[in-house]
Amino acid sequence: MQKVLLTAATGNIGAWLVPKLLATGAVKLLLPTSDARKLSSFNNSENVSIIEGLISDPQWVEKQLQSHEIDTIFLCLFGIDEIFTAFNFLNAIQRSPCVKHVVYMHSRTSQTLMNILLINFTRYLSACGNFLNEPDSAINWMCPHTKIKPPVEAALRNIKTFTHTIIGPSLFFKNDYRVKDAIVRGRRWVEPYGEKGTSRVAVEDIADAVVTAIRDRGRNWNGRKIQLGTLKQFTSEDHAALWSNSLGFPIKAVPSNQESLNMLEKHLREELGPVWGRDLALLYAGIVLTGLGMSEEDYKTQVEFLGREPAKYEDFVMKVAEEWKKEL
């Protein structure tokens, strides 16, 4: 029975991941949280333990890893102190003799703004892109929460006390719910993706990938980074056309220029505050500049890893458009 420490259980990925892991019948989950009430739905599961504490406290993390004999970790980080938490957590893992593998993942999404790290297997949820080998990838973007991914990935590759798998998703399908009013009422696509566009990914595919990485235990995928998402990179015009066809009325894409980026930052600043407003505006600027996606070889690896093709963004748009049309 694997013993998995899983953070961010209340988030978008966690909501899919926890049930999938429990359904395997092969794991016991330790869920750290600052508010146990948010995880009360899992109180009756004999394979779930909920503990209150701060994952930013490395001594507390070490204590939990050792006292619960954790061999696998899924860590979701959020905030401007992310890099401190990530490296302190990695050090805590190194000090724990039970940990065997880490999975690391970070999602580039203004909806969830998270990093995820898994161990027995350490799994780290990073972001789509070959940060360490491609000079034109997001490693050169100015976006702060993307800038910290390469050093964490590099650290994972250099730590020899446990195996690791890196998960690199592109932009979530579910982000589109955030711009529903602009699409339905304003009839505009307001997210600037430029002419190079971005890959898109379903949360369900991320959860399935994390389950696969955990169950693999570093036997077949140690040291590998799995890119997740569509092979096609959808431009701003592609997004507008898909929503236009699905909703039955014209949607116009805003131009991918500095004016649009400034307007987007203004909105995000009001919604999320000045730090994240600028950070996410820089994220979109990076997508406009270089695009966000994967190679055909990366896509084939994803299909092999998932054991199937990833979800299609076009299918998501059609399904959600049918829901929205009922509200009009």
Side-chain angles (χ1 to χ4, degrees), residues 294-305:
M294 67 190 75
S295 68
E296 291 188 5
E297 188 62 33
D298 290 331
Y299 185 82
K300 291 178 181 177
T301 299
Q302 172 188 201
V303 172
E304 179 185 356
F305 188 76

Side-chain angles (χ1 to χ4, degrees), residues 256-271:
S256 295
N257 55 23
Q258 191 59 51
E259 182 180 358
S260 294
L261 290 168
N262 290 342
M263 289 297 295
L264 183 65
E265 180 177 354
K266 179 181 178 182
H267 169 73
L268 293 170
R269 181 184 176 91
E270 294 172 352
E271 180 183 356

Side-chain angles (χ1 to χ4, degrees), residues 183 186-188 240 243-245 247-252:
I183 295 173
R187 302 197 174 189
R188 294 180 303 150
W243 283 106
S244 295
N245 294 335
L247 288 169
F249 52 78
I251 306 294
K252 183 178 181 180

